[in-house]
Amino acid sequence: MTLRLELVLGDITAEDVDAIVNAANHTLLGGGGVDGAIHRAAGPELVEYCRTLGGCETGEATITPGFNLTARWVIHTVGPVWHGGGHGEPELLASCYRESLARADEVEAETVAFPAISTGVFGYPIEAATAIAIETVRSTPTNVSEVRFVAFNQETVDAYQSILDLSTGTDL
Ligand code: ADP
């Protein structure tokens, strides 16, 4: 089965997909950026559920219900904080995408939306992060049929697009 990739500009909390991915922190108890937006949209039951999970390591992913979200599931993954790139950041970021797809497969989610993990407060350079996102999703065996990259601003759209423009013979 071919995996279809899409790129959209918008707020991931509004995406009508089976699972949305949250760029969470270790505690899984909410934070700023996309994490805060997802918790606000999902409602207080999400943090109550997350409290029972005992956190999540960098590069790992864990799944919860979506509660008030349109999406049935939220896959919480903890991206690396950027410390210059020599501290395993690329491998850890790739692991976030692989592990998130693995969680999606476990619940048979077919459509998954990803934010640009680590590129906000965690400071990962956007071009490098979007390259890893696309390459990892393309190279990971999965039953997911559609991955939607949700960019929150035009700079992020442009970063994904420039990576896609570099790949020859493949549509987004
Ligand atoms: P991190 O701590 O992993 O860097 P952030 O939430 O600070 O997480 O940022 C990750 C990315 O999510 C950034 O590119 C940011 O612009 C984007 N973002 C923030 N809010 C939303 C949202 N509601 N929907 C989609 N992307 C968002």
Side-chain angles (χ1 to χ4, degrees):
M1 189 168 55
T2 46
L3 173 64
R4 178 184 155 86
L5 302 187
E6 288 192 357
L7 171 58
V8 297
L9 174 64
D11 177 356
I12 201 168
T13 63
E15 288 298 324
D16 185 5
V17 285
D18 295 333
I20 64 171
V21 175
N22 182 16
N25 59 45
H26 285 127
T27 67
L28 298 181
L29 298 181
V34 71
D35 196 7
I38 288 172
H39 274 273
R40 275 194 299 280
E45 281 174 295
L46 180 58
V47 76
E48 289 308 318
Y49 190 100
C50 286
R51 246 185 257 291
T52 67
L53 300 177
C56 184
E57 298 295 325
T58 303
E60 306 273 312
T62 186
I63 192 162
T64 71
F67 298 103
N68 293 341
L69 289 163
T70 307
R72 182 165 174 203
W73 307 101
V74 180
I75 297 167
H76 306 259
T77 189
V78 183
V81 176
W82 179 257
H83 290 297
H87 296 80
E89 294 95 330
E91 295 78 12
L92 288 165
L93 186 60
S95 176
C96 289
Y97 286 91
R98 277 196 304 272
E99 289 295 312
S100 294
L101 290 172
R103 293 300 85 73
D105 282 337
E106 285 163 11
V107 299
E108 298 180 353
E110 290 186 359
T111 53
V112 179
F114 280 94
I117 299 163
S118 283
T119 65
V121 173
F122 283 3
Y124 209 110
I126 185 74
E127 298 257 337
T130 50
I132 288 172
I134 290 169
E135 284 162 14
T136 307
V137 166
R138 276 188 173 147
S139 63
T140 301
T142 176
N143 291 321
V144 171
S145 60
E146 182 186 313
V147 164
R148 203 172 292 172
F149 295 110
V150 182
F152 201 51
N153 51 45
Q154 190 59 43
E155 186 196 0
T156 306
V157 172
D158 293 346
Y160 281 113
Q161 197 63 61
S162 69
I163 304 302
L164 293 161
D165 289 346
L166 290 174
S167 19
T168 49
T170 38
D171 292 329
L172 176 67

